Amino acid sequence: MCITRSVGRGGVNNSDDVKTVQILLNLNIYQLTPLIPLAESGRCDTSTIAAIELFQRKVRNSVRPDAKVDPNGGSLAALRVGMLPGFTEKKLQGIYVHASSGKIERYFSGLAAKMNENAINTPLRRVHFLAQIGHESKELIYSEEIASGRAYEGRRDLGNTQRGDGVRFKGRGLIQITGRANYSDYGRSRGRDFTGSAAVAQLLATDPALAVDASCWFWNEHDLNRLADRDDVLVITKVINGGTNGLADRKALLARAKFFLL
Protein backbone atom coordinates (compact mmCIF):
# COMPACT_ATOMS: atom_id res chain seq x y z
CA MET A 1 0.00 0.00 0.00
CA CYS A 2 1.30 3.49 -0.79
CA ILE A 3 0.09 5.13 2.46
CA THR A 4 0.26 3.66 5.95
CA ARG A 5 -2.14 5.91 7.90
CA SER A 6 -5.13 8.12 7.18
CA VAL A 7 -4.73 11.50 5.45
CA GLY A 8 -7.09 14.47 5.60
CA ARG A 9 -9.60 15.86 8.07
CA GLY A 10 -9.04 14.09 11.38
CA GLY A 11 -6.35 11.87 9.88
CA VAL A 12 -2.97 10.92 11.29
CA ASN A 13 -1.34 12.91 8.47
CA ASN A 14 2.19 11.52 8.40
CA SER A 15 4.28 13.62 6.05
CA ASP A 16 5.09 10.85 3.53
CA ASP A 17 1.43 9.81 3.41
CA VAL A 18 0.22 13.37 2.94
CA LYS A 19 2.73 13.98 0.12
CA THR A 20 1.63 10.76 -1.56
CA VAL A 21 -2.03 11.81 -1.46
CA GLN A 22 -1.12 15.25 -2.77
CA ILE A 23 0.70 13.60 -5.69
CA LEU A 24 -2.31 11.37 -6.35
CA LEU A 25 -4.67 14.33 -6.29
CA ASN A 26 -2.44 16.11 -8.80
CA LEU A 27 -2.49 13.01 -10.99
CA ASN A 28 -6.28 13.27 -10.89
CA ILE A 29 -6.37 17.05 -11.38
CA TYR A 30 -8.03 16.67 -14.79
CA GLN A 31 -11.14 15.47 -12.92
CA LEU A 32 -11.10 18.37 -10.48
CA THR A 33 -11.41 21.46 -12.68
CA PRO A 34 -11.00 24.32 -11.79
CA LEU A 35 -8.73 23.15 -8.96
CA ILE A 36 -5.09 24.12 -9.47
CA PRO A 37 -2.32 21.61 -8.65
CA LEU A 38 -1.50 21.25 -4.98
CA ALA A 39 1.87 21.98 -3.45
CA GLU A 40 3.35 18.56 -2.65
CA SER A 41 4.63 19.72 0.72
CA GLY A 42 3.71 16.79 2.93
CA ARG A 43 1.67 19.15 5.11
CA CYS A 44 -2.05 18.53 5.38
CA ASP A 45 -3.23 22.10 4.92
CA THR A 46 -6.69 23.43 4.16
CA SER A 47 -6.06 23.19 0.40
CA THR A 48 -5.30 19.47 0.66
CA ILE A 49 -8.39 18.78 2.76
CA ALA A 50 -10.54 20.79 0.34
CA ALA A 51 -9.09 18.85 -2.63
CA ILE A 52 -9.86 15.50 -1.00
CA GLU A 53 -13.41 16.65 -0.31
CA LEU A 54 -13.81 17.90 -3.90
CA PHE A 55 -12.53 14.57 -5.22
CA GLN A 56 -15.00 12.68 -3.09
CA ARG A 57 -17.88 14.88 -4.25
CA LYS A 58 -17.05 15.06 -7.96
CA VAL A 59 -15.48 11.66 -8.62
CA ARG A 60 -16.94 9.40 -5.94
CA ASN A 61 -20.31 11.20 -5.86
CA SER A 62 -20.23 11.28 -2.07
CA VAL A 63 -23.18 13.07 -0.50
CA ARG A 64 -21.36 13.39 2.83
CA PRO A 65 -17.62 13.43 2.04
CA ASP A 66 -15.38 12.98 5.07
CA ALA A 67 -12.36 14.61 3.37
CA LYS A 68 -10.15 11.71 4.46
CA VAL A 69 -8.17 9.09 2.57
CA ASP A 70 -7.63 5.77 4.36
CA PRO A 71 -5.03 3.12 3.41
CA ASN A 72 -7.66 0.53 2.48
CA GLY A 73 -10.49 2.91 1.68
CA GLY A 74 -12.49 3.67 -1.41
CA SER A 75 -11.01 7.11 -1.96
CA LEU A 76 -7.48 5.75 -2.28
CA ALA A 77 -8.72 3.08 -4.68
CA ALA A 78 -10.50 5.74 -6.75
CA LEU A 79 -7.39 7.93 -6.83
CA ARG A 80 -5.46 4.97 -8.19
CA VAL A 81 -8.05 4.17 -10.84
CA GLY A 82 -8.21 7.82 -11.87
CA MET A 83 -4.54 8.08 -12.82
CA LEU A 84 -4.04 8.35 -16.57
CA PRO A 85 -1.95 5.50 -18.06
CA GLY A 86 1.74 5.71 -18.78
CA PHE A 87 5.05 6.34 -17.04
CA THR A 88 5.29 10.01 -16.06
CA GLU A 89 7.46 12.26 -13.91
CA LYS A 90 4.62 12.62 -11.43
CA LYS A 91 4.28 8.85 -11.07
CA LEU A 92 8.04 8.55 -10.57
CA GLN A 93 7.73 11.14 -7.80
CA GLY A 94 4.98 9.01 -6.27
CA ILE A 95 7.26 5.98 -6.24
CA TYR A 96 10.28 7.92 -4.94
CA VAL A 97 8.41 10.09 -2.47
CA HIS A 98 11.65 11.17 -0.75
CA ALA A 99 13.36 12.30 -3.95
CA SER A 100 13.57 16.01 -4.66
CA SER A 101 11.77 17.35 -7.73
CA GLY A 102 15.22 18.20 -9.10
CA LYS A 103 16.34 14.57 -8.91
CA ILE A 104 13.11 13.41 -10.57
CA GLU A 105 13.64 15.88 -13.40
CA ARG A 106 17.32 14.90 -13.71
CA TYR A 107 16.65 11.20 -14.21
CA PHE A 108 13.15 10.83 -15.63
CA SER A 109 13.87 11.27 -19.33
CA GLY A 110 16.83 8.90 -19.14
CA LEU A 111 14.79 6.28 -17.33
CA ALA A 112 11.92 6.56 -19.81
CA ALA A 113 14.25 6.19 -22.79
CA LYS A 114 16.82 3.72 -21.51
CA MET A 115 14.34 1.28 -19.99
CA ASN A 116 12.66 0.97 -23.39
CA GLU A 117 15.99 0.63 -25.19
CA ASN A 118 17.00 -2.19 -22.85
CA ALA A 119 13.76 -4.20 -22.96
CA ILE A 120 12.74 -3.13 -19.45
CA ASN A 121 9.47 -2.41 -21.13
CA THR A 122 6.67 -4.33 -19.42
CA PRO A 123 4.92 -3.22 -16.24
CA LEU A 124 6.50 -5.97 -14.11
CA ARG A 125 9.99 -5.35 -15.48
CA ARG A 126 9.69 -1.64 -14.86
CA VAL A 127 8.42 -1.88 -11.30
CA HIS A 128 11.12 -4.34 -10.28
CA PHE A 129 13.86 -2.28 -11.93
CA LEU A 130 12.63 0.94 -10.32
CA ALA A 131 12.35 -0.72 -6.90
CA GLN A 132 15.93 -1.98 -7.05
CA ILE A 133 17.57 1.20 -8.33
CA GLY A 134 15.43 3.14 -5.87
CA HIS A 135 16.97 1.22 -3.00
CA GLU A 136 20.51 1.24 -4.38
CA SER A 137 20.46 5.00 -5.02
CA LYS A 138 18.41 5.91 -1.92
CA GLU A 139 15.63 7.16 -4.21
CA LEU A 140 17.96 8.92 -6.69
CA ILE A 141 20.01 10.70 -4.03
CA TYR A 142 23.26 8.85 -4.82
CA SER A 143 24.73 7.83 -8.15
CA GLU A 144 28.11 6.99 -6.62
CA GLU A 145 29.10 4.83 -3.68
CA ILE A 146 29.69 6.90 -0.56
CA ALA A 147 32.68 4.81 0.58
CA SER A 148 36.07 5.52 -0.97
CA GLY A 149 36.32 2.19 -2.78
CA ARG A 150 39.60 1.24 -1.09
CA ALA A 151 37.92 -1.91 0.17
CA TYR A 152 37.87 -3.16 -3.44
CA GLU A 153 41.62 -2.73 -3.95
CA GLY A 154 43.17 -5.93 -5.25
CA ARG A 155 39.80 -7.65 -5.79
CA ARG A 156 40.67 -9.82 -8.77
CA ASP A 157 37.09 -11.12 -8.89
CA LEU A 158 36.14 -7.54 -9.85
CA GLY A 159 39.04 -7.24 -12.28
CA ASN A 160 40.90 -4.81 -10.02
CA THR A 161 44.45 -5.81 -10.98
CA GLN A 162 46.13 -2.39 -11.08
CA ARG A 163 47.03 -0.12 -8.19
CA GLY A 164 44.22 2.34 -7.49
CA ASP A 165 41.52 0.30 -9.22
CA GLY A 166 39.44 0.03 -6.04
CA VAL A 167 38.93 3.77 -5.80
CA ARG A 168 38.89 4.39 -9.55
CA PHE A 169 36.18 1.81 -10.22
CA LYS A 170 34.06 2.01 -7.10
CA GLY A 171 30.28 1.63 -7.38
CA ARG A 172 28.68 4.09 -9.82
CA GLY A 173 25.40 4.41 -11.63
CA LEU A 174 22.00 4.08 -10.01
CA ILE A 175 22.60 0.37 -9.46
CA GLN A 176 26.30 1.05 -8.69
CA ILE A 177 28.32 -1.26 -10.93
CA THR A 178 31.73 -1.92 -9.40
CA GLY A 179 35.21 -2.95 -10.53
CA ARG A 180 37.44 -2.63 -13.60
CA ALA A 181 35.93 -5.76 -15.18
CA ASN A 182 32.37 -4.39 -15.04
CA TYR A 183 33.45 -0.96 -16.31
CA SER A 184 35.33 -2.67 -19.16
CA ASP A 185 32.43 -4.96 -20.05
CA TYR A 186 29.93 -2.12 -19.98
CA GLY A 187 32.14 0.06 -22.15
CA ARG A 188 32.70 -2.77 -24.61
CA SER A 189 28.96 -3.29 -24.94
CA ARG A 190 28.50 0.43 -25.74
CA GLY A 191 31.57 0.89 -27.93
CA ARG A 192 33.26 3.18 -25.39
CA ASP A 193 36.13 3.01 -22.95
CA PHE A 194 35.29 3.88 -19.35
CA THR A 195 38.63 2.71 -17.91
CA GLY A 196 41.03 5.19 -19.50
CA SER A 197 41.01 7.72 -16.68
CA ALA A 198 39.37 8.47 -13.37
CA ALA A 199 37.48 11.36 -14.97
CA VAL A 200 35.99 9.08 -17.63
CA ALA A 201 35.05 6.45 -15.04
CA GLN A 202 33.22 9.12 -13.03
CA LEU A 203 30.89 9.76 -15.97
CA LEU A 204 28.88 6.74 -14.83
CA ALA A 205 27.88 8.85 -11.83
CA THR A 206 27.90 12.40 -13.19
CA ASP A 207 26.11 11.84 -16.51
CA PRO A 208 22.48 10.96 -15.66
CA ALA A 209 21.92 9.11 -18.95
CA LEU A 210 24.98 6.93 -18.33
CA ALA A 211 24.04 6.40 -14.69
CA VAL A 212 20.74 4.95 -15.90
CA ASP A 213 22.15 3.10 -18.91
CA ALA A 214 24.90 1.39 -16.90
CA SER A 215 22.21 0.16 -14.51
CA CYS A 216 20.12 -1.13 -17.42
CA TRP A 217 23.21 -2.90 -18.79
CA PHE A 218 23.83 -4.61 -15.44
CA TRP A 219 20.17 -5.60 -15.28
CA ASN A 220 20.29 -7.27 -18.68
CA GLU A 221 23.74 -8.73 -18.16
CA HIS A 222 22.33 -10.70 -15.22
CA ASP A 223 19.10 -11.66 -16.99
CA LEU A 224 16.97 -9.86 -14.40
CA ASN A 225 14.06 -9.31 -16.79
CA ARG A 226 13.45 -13.04 -16.58
CA LEU A 227 13.22 -12.85 -12.79
CA ALA A 228 11.06 -9.72 -12.96
CA ASP A 229 8.67 -11.59 -15.25
CA ARG A 230 8.36 -14.11 -12.40
CA ASP A 231 7.78 -11.29 -9.89
CA ASP A 232 10.71 -12.65 -7.84
CA VAL A 233 11.99 -9.77 -5.74
CA LEU A 234 13.97 -12.06 -3.41
CA VAL A 235 16.16 -13.60 -6.10
CA ILE A 236 16.60 -10.27 -7.90
CA THR A 237 17.83 -8.78 -4.63
CA LYS A 238 20.31 -11.64 -4.13
CA VAL A 239 21.70 -11.20 -7.64
CA ILE A 240 22.20 -7.44 -7.18
CA ASN A 241 23.28 -7.44 -3.55
CA GLY A 242 24.85 -10.85 -3.07
CA GLY A 243 22.45 -11.32 -0.15
CA THR A 244 19.24 -9.83 1.15
CA ASN A 245 20.50 -6.50 2.47
CA GLY A 246 17.72 -3.90 2.34
CA LEU A 247 15.07 -6.41 1.31
CA ALA A 248 12.30 -4.73 3.32
CA ASP A 249 12.97 -1.37 1.66
CA ARG A 250 13.14 -2.99 -1.78
CA LYS A 251 9.78 -4.65 -1.15
CA ALA A 252 8.27 -1.37 0.04
CA LEU A 253 9.49 0.42 -3.09
CA LEU A 254 8.17 -2.42 -5.20
CA ALA A 255 4.74 -2.06 -3.61
CA ARG A 256 4.76 1.67 -4.35
CA ALA A 257 5.88 1.10 -7.93
CA LYS A 258 3.11 -1.45 -8.44
CA PHE A 259 0.54 0.97 -7.02
CA PHE A 260 1.52 3.70 -9.48
CA LEU A 261 2.38 1.63 -12.56
CA LEU A 262 0.36 -1.62 -12.49
Side-chain angles (χ1 to χ4, degrees), residues 92-165:
L92 187 63
Q93 182 73 80
I95 297 166
Y96 299 150
V97 72
H98 301 112
S100 68
S101 58
K103 291 292 188 182
I104 296 295
E105 183 178 357
R106 177 175 175 81
Y107 288 108
F108 174 76
S109 60
L111 284 166
K114 295 299 182 181
M115 285 194 297
N116 282 334
E117 289 175 18
N118 288 276
I120 307 171
N121 55 5
T122 69
L124 265 179
R125 291 176 181 185
R126 284 183 172 182
V127 297
H128 277 278
F129 179 74
L130 291 170
Q132 293 292 334
I133 67 169
H135 174 78
E136 293 293 323
S137 67
K138 302 299 181 188
E139 299 186 33
L140 306 182
I141 294 174
Y142 302 110
S143 58
E144 182 174 73
E145 188 174 0
I146 298 172
S148 68
R150 290 190 181 90
Y152 303 125
E153 192 70 10
R155 284 277 302 273
R156 291 185 174 273
D157 59 314
L158 296 174
N160 291 342
T161 57
Q162 299 181 26
R163 181 174 294 179
D165 277 356

Side-chain angles (χ1 to χ4, degrees), residues 5-245:
R5 307 294 291 275
S6 57
V7 171
R9 184 182 295 134
V12 177
N13 294 322
N14 291 332
S15 177
D16 287 353
D17 291 337
V18 173
K19 184 175 180 179
T20 299
V21 170
Q22 289 167 336
I23 290 167
L24 285 166
L25 287 163
N26 285 337
L27 282 164
N28 281 268
I29 202 76
Y30 71 97
Q31 302 190 81
L32 301 176
T33 305
L35 188 73
I36 62 172
L38 296 168
E40 295 164 3
S41 63
R43 296 187 299 275
C44 190
D45 52 19
T46 56
S47 296
T48 300
I49 292 172
I52 295 170
E53 184 171 351
L54 179 63
F55 178 82
Q56 291 173 333
R57 287 187 186 278
K58 289 192 70 172
V59 180
R60 301 202 65 212
N61 299 312
S62 299
V63 177
R64 295 180 179 178
D66 61 4
K68 187 167 68 173
V69 179
D70 293 307
N72 295 302
S75 290
L76 184 62
L79 284 165
R80 183 182 191 182
V81 170
M83 290 188 290
L84 296 174
F87 178 52
T88 66
E89 283 192 42
K90 191 61 65 182
K91 288 183 180 180
L92 187 63
Q93 182 73 80
I95 297 166
Y96 299 150
V97 72
H98 301 112
S100 68
S101 58
K103 291 292 188 182
I104 296 295
E105 183 178 357
R106 177 175 175 81
Y107 288 108
F108 174 76
S109 60
L111 284 166
K114 295 299 182 181
M115 285 194 297
N116 282 334
E117 289 175 18
N118 288 276
I120 307 171
N121 55 5
T122 69
L124 265 179
R125 291 176 181 185
R126 284 183 172 182
V127 297
H128 277 278
F129 179 74
L130 291 170
Q132 293 292 334
I133 67 169
H135 174 78
E136 293 293 323
S137 67
K138 302 299 181 188
E139 299 186 33
L140 306 182
I141 294 174
Y142 302 110
S143 58
E144 182 174 73
E145 188 174 0
I146 298 172
S148 68
R150 290 190 181 90
Y152 303 125
E153 192 70 10
R155 284 277 302 273
R156 291 185 174 273
D157 59 314
L158 296 174
N160 291 342
T161 57
Q162 299 181 26
R163 181 174 294 179
D165 277 356
V167 174
R168 189 177 300 115
F169 303 115
K170 70 177 184 175
R172 294 191 178 93
L174 297 182
I175 219 165
Q176 300 196 352
I177 67 170
T178 306
R180 176 183 284 273
N182 278 321
Y183 279 65
S184 296
D185 289 346
Y186 170 61
R188 192 176 303 114
S189 74
R190 300 306 193 246
R192 297 181 64 176
D193 179 12
F194 291 103
T195 62
S197 70
V200 172
Q202 286 172 351
L203 289 174
L204 271 64
T206 58
D207 184 317
L210 288 175
V212 172
D213 188 55
S215 304
C216 293
W217 168 82
F218 179 92
W219 187 267
N220 283 329
E221 191 74 4
H222 293 83
D223 198 22
L224 295 179
N225 276 334
R226 177 179 58 85
L227 297 175
D229 290 343
R230 287 165 31 189
D231 202 12
D232 197 338
V233 63
L234 177 61
V235 178
I236 291 173
T237 297
K238 288 180 177 178
V239 170
I240 291 173
N241 177 254
T244 57
N245 182 55

